[in-house]
PDB file of all heavy atoms in Angstrom:
ATOM      1  N   ASN I   6      39.566 -92.886 -35.325  1.00 46.00           N
ATOM      2  CA  ASN I   6      40.646 -92.622 -34.453  1.00 46.00           C
ATOM      3  C   ASN I   6      40.581 -91.214 -33.769  1.00 46.00           C
ATOM      4  O   ASN I   6      40.772 -90.982 -32.681  1.00 46.00           O
ATOM      5  CB  ASN I   6      42.051 -92.674 -35.155  1.00 46.00           C
ATOM      6  CG  ASN I   6      42.423 -94.196 -35.382  1.00 46.00           C
ATOM      7  OD1 ASN I   6      41.794 -95.102 -34.937  1.00 46.00           O
ATOM      8  ND2 ASN I   6      43.388 -94.275 -36.217  1.00 46.00           N
ATOM      9  N   LEU I   7      40.235 -90.185 -34.550  1.00 46.00           N
ATOM     10  CA  LEU I   7      40.141 -88.910 -34.187  1.00 46.00           C
ATOM     11  C   LEU I   7      38.990 -88.758 -33.116  1.00 46.00           C
ATOM     12  O   LEU I   7      39.167 -88.139 -31.988  1.00 46.00           O
ATOM     13  CB  LEU I   7      39.766 -87.966 -35.359  1.00 46.00           C
ATOM     14  CG  LEU I   7      39.537 -86.424 -34.981  1.00 46.00           C
ATOM     15  CD1 LEU I   7      40.810 -85.840 -34.316  1.00 46.00           C
ATOM     16  CD2 LEU I   7      39.228 -85.666 -36.261  1.00 46.00           C
ATOM     17  N   HIS I   8      37.870 -89.338 -33.418  1.00 46.00           N
ATOM     18  CA  HIS I   8      36.801 -89.187 -32.364  1.00 46.00           C
ATOM     19  C   HIS I   8      37.046 -90.007 -31.146  1.00 46.00           C
ATOM     20  O   HIS I   8      36.744 -89.557 -30.054  1.00 46.00           O
ATOM     21  CB  HIS I   8      35.403 -89.782 -33.032  1.00 46.00           C
ATOM     22  CG  HIS I   8      34.986 -88.947 -34.101  1.00 46.00           C
ATOM     23  ND1 HIS I   8      34.582 -87.623 -33.977  1.00 46.00           N
ATOM     24  CD2 HIS I   8      34.577 -89.237 -35.425  1.00 46.00           C
ATOM     25  CE1 HIS I   8      34.152 -87.140 -35.101  1.00 46.00           C
ATOM     26  NE2 HIS I   8      34.203 -88.093 -35.976  1.00 46.00           N
ATOM     27  N   ALA I   9      37.839 -91.150 -31.221  1.00 44.00           N
ATOM     28  CA  ALA I   9      38.158 -91.888 -30.062  1.00 44.00           C
ATOM     29  C   ALA I   9      39.136 -91.014 -29.140  1.00 44.00           C
ATOM     30  O   ALA I   9      39.032 -90.939 -27.973  1.00 44.00           O
ATOM     31  CB  ALA I   9      38.808 -93.193 -30.407  1.00 44.00           C
ATOM     32  N   ALA I  10      40.118 -90.400 -29.847  1.00 43.00           N
ATOM     33  CA  ALA I  10      41.008 -89.541 -29.023  1.00 43.00           C
ATOM     34  C   ALA I  10      40.345 -88.354 -28.558  1.00 43.00           C
ATOM     35  O   ALA I  10      40.706 -87.970 -27.361  1.00 43.00           O
ATOM     36  CB  ALA I  10      42.154 -89.053 -29.949  1.00 43.00           C
ATOM     37  N   LYS I  11      39.463 -87.748 -29.147  1.00 44.00           N
ATOM     38  CA  LYS I  11      38.649 -86.587 -28.692  1.00 44.00           C
ATOM     39  C   LYS I  11      37.897 -86.979 -27.454  1.00 44.00           C
ATOM     40  O   LYS I  11      37.853 -86.138 -26.486  1.00 44.00           O
ATOM     41  CB  LYS I  11      37.722 -86.138 -29.786  1.00 44.00           C
ATOM     42  CG  LYS I  11      37.293 -84.771 -29.592  1.00 44.00           C
ATOM     43  CD  LYS I  11      36.543 -84.362 -30.886  1.00 44.00           C
ATOM     44  CE  LYS I  11      36.070 -82.854 -30.818  1.00 44.00           C
ATOM     45  NZ  LYS I  11      35.390 -82.438 -32.042  1.00 44.00           N
ATOM     46  N   ASN I  12      37.379 -88.194 -27.351  1.00 40.00           N
ATOM     47  CA  ASN I  12      36.626 -88.562 -26.190  1.00 40.00           C
ATOM     48  C   ASN I  12      37.552 -88.914 -24.989  1.00 40.00           C
ATOM     49  O   ASN I  12      37.254 -88.686 -23.808  1.00 40.00           O
ATOM     50  CB  ASN I  12      35.790 -89.813 -26.579  1.00 40.00           C
ATOM     51  CG  ASN I  12      34.626 -89.473 -27.524  1.00 40.00           C
ATOM     52  OD1 ASN I  12      34.193 -88.277 -27.512  1.00 40.00           O
ATOM     53  ND2 ASN I  12      34.224 -90.476 -28.304  1.00 40.00           N
ATOM     54  N   ALA I  13      38.729 -89.426 -25.296  1.00 40.00           N
ATOM     55  CA  ALA I  13      39.706 -89.843 -24.207  1.00 40.00           C
ATOM     56  C   ALA I  13      40.282 -88.683 -23.585  1.00 40.00           C
ATOM     57  O   ALA I  13      40.340 -88.575 -22.375  1.00 40.00           O
ATOM     58  CB  ALA I  13      40.668 -90.840 -24.851  1.00 40.00           C
ATOM     59  N   LYS I  14      40.836 -87.760 -24.364  1.00 42.00           N
ATOM     60  CA  LYS I  14      41.412 -86.559 -23.970  1.00 42.00           C
ATOM     61  C   LYS I  14      42.633 -86.715 -23.007  1.00 42.00           C
ATOM     62  O   LYS I  14      43.193 -85.791 -22.478  1.00 42.00           O
ATOM     63  CB  LYS I  14      40.414 -85.667 -23.177  1.00 42.00           C
ATOM     64  CG  LYS I  14      39.443 -84.910 -24.101  1.00 42.00           C
ATOM     65  CD  LYS I  14      38.744 -83.767 -23.434  1.00 42.00           C
ATOM     66  CE  LYS I  14      37.856 -83.073 -24.466  1.00 42.00           C
ATOM     67  NZ  LYS I  14      37.129 -81.963 -23.853  1.00 42.00           N
ATOM     68  N   LYS I  15      42.996 -87.941 -22.739  1.00 42.00           N
ATOM     69  CA  LYS I  15      44.252 -88.195 -22.093  1.00 42.00           C
ATOM     70  C   LYS I  15      45.501 -88.436 -22.958  1.00 42.00           C
ATOM     71  O   LYS I  15      46.674 -88.451 -22.416  1.00 42.00           O
ATOM     72  CB  LYS I  15      44.094 -89.366 -20.987  1.00 42.00           C
ATOM     73  CG  LYS I  15      43.209 -88.912 -19.850  1.00 42.00           C
ATOM     74  CD  LYS I  15      43.128 -90.050 -18.873  1.00 42.00           C
ATOM     75  CE  LYS I  15      42.099 -89.660 -17.714  1.00 42.00           C
ATOM     76  NZ  LYS I  15      42.101 -90.719 -16.634  1.00 42.00           N
ATOM     77  N   ASP I  16      45.214 -88.648 -24.199  1.00 43.00           N
ATOM     78  CA  ASP I  16      46.212 -88.867 -25.194  1.00 43.00           C
ATOM     79  C   ASP I  16      46.847 -87.505 -25.537  1.00 43.00           C
ATOM     80  O   ASP I  16      46.174 -86.528 -25.607  1.00 43.00           O
ATOM     81  CB  ASP I  16      45.659 -89.627 -26.445  1.00 43.00           C
ATOM     82  CG  ASP I  16      45.225 -91.047 -25.997  1.00 43.00           C
ATOM     83  OD1 ASP I  16      45.776 -91.587 -25.233  1.00 43.00           O
ATOM     84  OD2 ASP I  16      44.338 -91.525 -26.788  1.00 43.00           O
ATOM     85  N   GLU I  17      48.107 -87.573 -25.932  1.00 64.00           N
ATOM     86  CA  GLU I  17      48.768 -86.316 -26.248  1.00 64.00           C
ATOM     87  C   GLU I  17      49.441 -86.570 -27.648  1.00 64.00           C
ATOM     88  O   GLU I  17      49.994 -87.546 -28.011  1.00 64.00           O
ATOM     89  CB  GLU I  17      49.882 -85.934 -25.272  1.00 64.00           C
ATOM     90  CG  GLU I  17      49.210 -85.593 -23.950  1.00 64.00           C
ATOM     91  CD  GLU I  17      50.356 -85.381 -22.897  1.00 64.00           C
ATOM     92  OE1 GLU I  17      51.585 -85.383 -23.314  1.00 64.00           O
ATOM     93  OE2 GLU I  17      50.065 -85.123 -21.740  1.00 64.00           O
ATOM     94  N   PHE I  18      49.155 -85.537 -28.598  1.00 75.00           N
ATOM     95  CA  PHE I  18      49.579 -85.626 -29.921  1.00 75.00           C
ATOM     96  C   PHE I  18      50.451 -84.451 -30.306  1.00 75.00           C
ATOM     97  O   PHE I  18      50.127 -83.303 -29.956  1.00 75.00           O
ATOM     98  CB  PHE I  18      48.354 -85.707 -30.837  1.00 75.00           C
ATOM     99  CG  PHE I  18      47.419 -86.909 -30.486  1.00 75.00           C
ATOM    100  CD1 PHE I  18      46.473 -86.761 -29.564  1.00 75.00           C
ATOM    101  CD2 PHE I  18      47.506 -88.021 -31.349  1.00 75.00           C
ATOM    102  CE1 PHE I  18      45.666 -87.869 -29.262  1.00 75.00           C
ATOM    103  CE2 PHE I  18      46.673 -89.092 -31.048  1.00 75.00           C
ATOM    104  CZ  PHE I  18      45.755 -88.998 -30.053  1.00 75.00           C
ATOM    105  N   TYR I  19      51.444 -84.713 -31.117  1.00 83.00           N
ATOM    106  CA  TYR I  19      52.453 -83.645 -31.323  1.00 83.00           C
ATOM    107  C   TYR I  19      52.613 -83.471 -32.829  1.00 83.00           C
ATOM    108  O   TYR I  19      52.806 -84.475 -33.644  1.00 83.00           O
ATOM    109  CB  TYR I  19      53.746 -83.952 -30.697  1.00 83.00           C
ATOM    110  CG  TYR I  19      53.665 -84.186 -29.214  1.00 83.00           C
ATOM    111  CD1 TYR I  19      53.617 -85.502 -28.669  1.00 83.00           C
ATOM    112  CD2 TYR I  19      53.590 -83.096 -28.265  1.00 83.00           C
ATOM    113  CE1 TYR I  19      53.465 -85.681 -27.296  1.00 83.00           C
ATOM    114  CE2 TYR I  19      53.468 -83.402 -26.966  1.00 83.00           C
ATOM    115  CZ  TYR I  19      53.301 -84.602 -26.439  1.00 83.00           C
ATOM    116  OH  TYR I  19      53.228 -84.951 -25.129  1.00 83.00           O
ATOM    117  N   THR I  20      52.539 -82.287 -33.314  1.00 92.00           N
ATOM    118  CA  THR I  20      52.801 -82.022 -34.776  1.00 92.00           C
ATOM    119  C   THR I  20      54.238 -82.281 -35.005  1.00 92.00           C
ATOM    120  O   THR I  20      55.164 -81.819 -34.366  1.00 92.00           O
ATOM    121  CB  THR I  20      52.494 -80.429 -35.081  1.00 92.00           C
ATOM    122  OG1 THR I  20      51.199 -80.265 -34.534  1.00 92.00           O
ATOM    123  CG2 THR I  20      52.417 -80.313 -36.532  1.00 92.00           C
ATOM    124  N   GLN I  21      54.392 -83.046 -36.138  1.00 92.00           N
ATOM    125  CA  GLN I  21      55.847 -83.297 -36.585  1.00 92.00           C
ATOM    126  C   GLN I  21      56.446 -82.102 -37.174  1.00 92.00           C
ATOM    127  O   GLN I  21      55.819 -81.237 -37.739  1.00 92.00           O
ATOM    128  CB  GLN I  21      55.769 -84.440 -37.654  1.00 92.00           C
ATOM    129  CG  GLN I  21      55.280 -85.750 -37.116  1.00 92.00           C
ATOM    130  CD  GLN I  21      55.293 -86.814 -38.209  1.00 92.00           C
ATOM    131  OE1 GLN I  21      56.305 -87.427 -38.439  1.00 92.00           O
ATOM    132  NE2 GLN I  21      54.249 -86.928 -38.954  1.00 92.00           N
ATOM    133  N   LEU I  22      57.757 -81.992 -37.009  1.00 94.00           N
ATOM    134  CA  LEU I  22      58.532 -80.926 -37.494  1.00 94.00           C
ATOM    135  C   LEU I  22      58.404 -80.836 -38.956  1.00 94.00           C
ATOM    136  O   LEU I  22      58.361 -79.771 -39.590  1.00 94.00           O
ATOM    137  CB  LEU I  22      59.983 -81.028 -37.019  1.00 94.00           C
ATOM    138  CG  LEU I  22      60.948 -79.886 -37.430  1.00 94.00           C
ATOM    139  CD1 LEU I  22      60.407 -78.535 -36.821  1.00 94.00           C
ATOM    140  CD2 LEU I  22      62.428 -80.237 -36.972  1.00 94.00           C
ATOM    141  N   VAL I  23      58.513 -81.962 -39.610  1.00 94.00           N
ATOM    142  CA  VAL I  23      58.404 -81.980 -41.166  1.00 94.00           C
ATOM    143  C   VAL I  23      57.133 -81.403 -41.653  1.00 94.00           C
ATOM    144  O   VAL I  23      57.061 -80.683 -42.636  1.00 94.00           O
ATOM    145  CB  VAL I  23      58.578 -83.440 -41.671  1.00 94.00           C
ATOM    146  CG1 VAL I  23      57.398 -84.299 -41.153  1.00 94.00           C
ATOM    147  CG2 VAL I  23      58.711 -83.471 -43.196  1.00 94.00           C
ATOM    148  N   ASP I  24      55.984 -81.586 -40.951  1.00 95.00           N
ATOM    149  CA  ASP I  24      54.729 -80.955 -41.376  1.00 95.00           C
ATOM    150  C   ASP I  24      54.768 -79.523 -41.191  1.00 95.00           C
ATOM    151  O   ASP I  24      54.197 -78.747 -42.068  1.00 95.00           O
ATOM    152  CB  ASP I  24      53.585 -81.587 -40.617  1.00 95.00           C
ATOM    153  CG  ASP I  24      53.336 -82.946 -40.972  1.00 95.00           C
ATOM    154  OD1 ASP I  24      53.250 -83.257 -42.201  1.00 95.00           O
ATOM    155  OD2 ASP I  24      52.992 -83.836 -40.128  1.00 95.00           O
ATOM    156  N   ILE I  25      55.432 -79.019 -40.147  1.00 97.00           N
ATOM    157  CA  ILE I  25      55.538 -77.557 -39.967  1.00 97.00           C
ATOM    158  C   ILE I  25      56.470 -76.921 -41.065  1.00 97.00           C
ATOM    159  O   ILE I  25      56.171 -75.944 -41.590  1.00 97.00           O
ATOM    160  CB  ILE I  25      56.103 -77.297 -38.491  1.00 97.00           C
ATOM    161  CG1 ILE I  25      55.087 -77.712 -37.531  1.00 97.00           C
ATOM    162  CG2 ILE I  25      56.319 -75.781 -38.301  1.00 97.00           C
ATOM    163  CD1 ILE I  25      55.620 -77.724 -36.076  1.00 97.00           C
ATOM    164  N   GLU I  26      57.569 -77.559 -41.250  1.00 97.00           N
ATOM    165  CA  GLU I  26      58.441 -77.030 -42.260  1.00 97.00           C
ATOM    166  C   GLU I  26      57.803 -77.001 -43.608  1.00 97.00           C
ATOM    167  O   GLU I  26      57.939 -76.084 -44.406  1.00 97.00           O
ATOM    168  CB  GLU I  26      59.745 -78.024 -42.379  1.00 97.00           C
ATOM    169  CG  GLU I  26      60.574 -77.931 -41.021  1.00 97.00           C
ATOM    170  CD  GLU I  26      61.659 -79.003 -41.056  1.00 97.00           C
ATOM    171  OE1 GLU I  26      61.625 -80.030 -41.745  1.00 97.00           O
ATOM    172  OE2 GLU I  26      62.788 -78.675 -40.304  1.00 97.00           O
ATOM    173  N   ASN I  27      57.098 -78.141 -43.982  1.00 96.00           N
ATOM    174  CA  ASN I  27      56.499 -78.161 -45.289  1.00 96.00           C
ATOM    175  C   ASN I  27      55.466 -77.070 -45.540  1.00 96.00           C
ATOM    176  O   ASN I  27      55.273 -76.658 -46.691  1.00 96.00           O
ATOM    177  CB  ASN I  27      55.831 -79.588 -45.490  1.00 96.00           C
ATOM    178  CG  ASN I  27      56.929 -80.679 -45.723  1.00 96.00           C
ATOM    179  OD1 ASN I  27      57.965 -80.362 -46.181  1.00 96.00           O
ATOM    180  ND2 ASN I  27      56.525 -81.881 -45.534  1.00 96.00           N
ATOM    181  N   GLU I  28      54.686 -76.737 -44.525  1.00 98.00           N
ATOM    182  CA  GLU I  28      53.723 -75.714 -44.671  1.00 98.00           C
ATOM    183  C   GLU I  28      54.306 -74.334 -44.510  1.00 98.00           C
ATOM    184  O   GLU I  28      54.055 -73.382 -45.488  1.00 98.00           O
ATOM    185  CB  GLU I  28      52.615 -75.953 -43.530  1.00 98.00           C
ATOM    186  CG  GLU I  28      51.447 -74.902 -43.714  1.00 98.00           C
ATOM    187  CD  GLU I  28      50.528 -75.205 -44.975  1.00 98.00           C
ATOM    188  OE1 GLU I  28      50.636 -76.375 -45.503  1.00 98.00           O
ATOM    189  OE2 GLU I  28      49.797 -74.347 -45.437  1.00 98.00           O
ATOM    190  N   LEU I  29      55.198 -74.018 -43.603  1.00 98.00           N
ATOM    191  CA  LEU I  29      55.719 -72.635 -43.378  1.00 98.00           C
ATOM    192  C   LEU I  29      56.610 -72.197 -44.553  1.00 98.00           C
ATOM    193  O   LEU I  29      56.650 -70.942 -44.713  1.00 98.00           O
ATOM    194  CB  LEU I  29      56.379 -72.708 -42.115  1.00 98.00           C
ATOM    195  CG  LEU I  29      55.653 -72.278 -40.865  1.00 98.00           C
ATOM    196  CD1 LEU I  29      55.270 -70.754 -40.844  1.00 98.00           C
ATOM    197  CD2 LEU I  29      54.595 -73.150 -40.500  1.00 98.00           C
TER     198      LEU I  29
END
Side-chain angles (χ1 to χ4, degrees):
N6 285 349
L7 176 59
H8 290 306
K11 198 171 184 179
N12 291 332
K14 285 195 177 181
K15 290 187 178 181
D16 294 336
E17 295 174 8
F18 302 81
Y19 306 96
T20 310
Q21 296 181 87
L22 184 60
V23 64
D24 288 317
I25 298 171
E26 292 172 338
N27 286 341
E28 186 70 20
L29 265 294

